[in-house]
Amino acid sequence: FFLQGMADERMVPPIFGWKHPEKRAPWVSIIANCAVVLAMVTLSLPEIFEFSNAFTIAGVLLGLVTTIRLRLTHPNVPRPYAIPVGTWGLLVLFLPCFILSFYVLLCLSTFVVSICLGVTGSGMLAYYALSEARSVGWEGMQGSVEDVEIFGVKSHSDHVEPDADFNAHNSTV
């Protein structure tokens, strides 16, 4: 369902948000995910474990770096929870996680690490490219989920446009 959410946010082509008219399942996204799983089936079990570890570590490292970056760039934004140490304390607190994560990455095969770095890096580049494009007025992928027609059937979407009065800083969620 990640692809469907990304299609709703216009980060990928709207075809990935297309839902079956009766079952309302995002079947194009499901087929795309199935293709990735079928590609993974060709790998050995230890390689699958390595890929799982590599992408988990990539997610953890991105989360840690994001936490530190938000602490530095937006220190006064209210948060739903608090880490009761300063920025340097946060760095010291996260240091064992960074060290262990890089150690595990060094233990993985070069093939797995290079694929993980390539996918993670291309995802980050795509995100920043979309952010820059939106800052100059681009509104996302052309068309909307409702405009997609496959096999003569129009799509159905649950996507709701955000309320203009919504203020993320006043949100309690």
Side-chain angles (χ1 to χ4, degrees), residues 113-127:
V113 172
S114 62
I115 296 293
C116 180
L117 288 175
V119 169
T120 304
S122 64
M124 290 171 62
L125 286 174
Y127 173 79

Side-chain angles (χ1 to χ4, degrees), residues 3-5 7 12-19 26-30 32 145 148:
L3 281 174
Q4 181 222 331
V12 297
I15 193 168
F16 290 110
W18 196 84
K19 293 180 184 163
W27 65 273
V28 176
S29 296
I30 292 170
V145 174
V148 176

Side-chain angles (χ1 to χ4, degrees), residues 19-39:
K19 293 180 184 163
H20 190 274
E22 295 173 17
K23 306 295 183 191
R24 302 178 46 81
W27 65 273
V28 176
S29 296
I30 292 170
I31 290 172
N33 287 329
C34 184
V36 171
V37 170
L38 287 176

